Amino acid sequence: MLVIPLRDFNELLLQYPHTAINLMHTMEQKIVELQARLQKLIAGDVQRRVVHFLTYLAKEFGEKTAVGTMIDVPVTNEDIANVVGTSRESVNRILNHLKREHLLDIGRQKMCIYDIEALQ
């Protein structure tokens, strides 16, 4: 991570307007992505919101293996519940259902999604 004092950053943008334009395009893309994620989170039922969050984790932090997509990010059921706006108990029920369907496996520090397309 790079930290630049605000004054230096502003001077850099003034000196290199092309950099400022590129930064604006990047920020625009991030805002559009966040809006789409937010819309999916608020529009679906609880299971759909949990599945959407799991697929987001897989795409952003997952590593494809022979078994499936391994997510090496420690996420608790409480974390998932907070993100999708539901109770920990609801997340527990949904994750247990997905485990019984052999769509994923969750350990203490890792998660494996066997087939992202089938999960969705």
Side-chain angles (χ1 to χ4, degrees):
M1 176 178 260
L2 177 66
V3 178
I4 301 173
L6 185 58
R7 180 176 292 158
D8 295 343
F9 183 70
N10 287 337
E11 287 178 23
L12 176 75
L13 295 179
L14 288 172
Q15 286 180 331
Y16 301 98
H18 188 54
T19 301
I21 291 170
N22 287 339
L23 178 64
M24 288 174 55
H25 286 297
T26 301
M27 290 173 62
E28 173 191 17
Q29 290 171 342
K30 290 294 181 188
I31 290 170
V32 168
E33 288 173 17
L34 287 171
Q35 286 175 331
R37 281 184 31 216
L38 182 61
Q39 184 63 34
K40 286 180 182 179
L41 281 174
I42 62 174
D45 62 13
V46 174
Q47 182 163 339
R48 186 170 296 162
R49 294 191 320 247
V50 169
V51 166
H52 174 72
F53 181 67
L54 295 176
T55 55
Y56 164 76
L57 289 176
K59 290 177 183 174
E60 290 295 316
F61 306 105
E63 180 179 321
K64 296 214 187 266
T65 68
V67 186
T69 303
M70 194 64 93
I71 303 167
D72 192 9
V73 176
V75 178
T76 66
N77 291 0
E78 187 71 30
D79 294 334
I80 296 170
N82 289 335
V83 169
V84 302
T86 192
S87 67
R88 183 184 54 78
E89 293 80 10
S90 293
V91 170
N92 288 344
R93 281 192 298 275
I94 291 166
L95 294 178
N96 285 330
H97 171 75
L98 296 174
K99 285 181 199 177
R100 282 192 303 274
E101 296 292 319
H102 304 290
L103 294 171
L104 58 81
D105 189 27
I106 298 178
R108 292 188 142 246
Q109 298 292 318
K110 294 183 180 182
M111 178 186 318
C112 183
I113 298 176
Y114 299 123
D115 184 354
I116 293 176
E117 286 74 30
L119 180 67
Q120 294 176 340

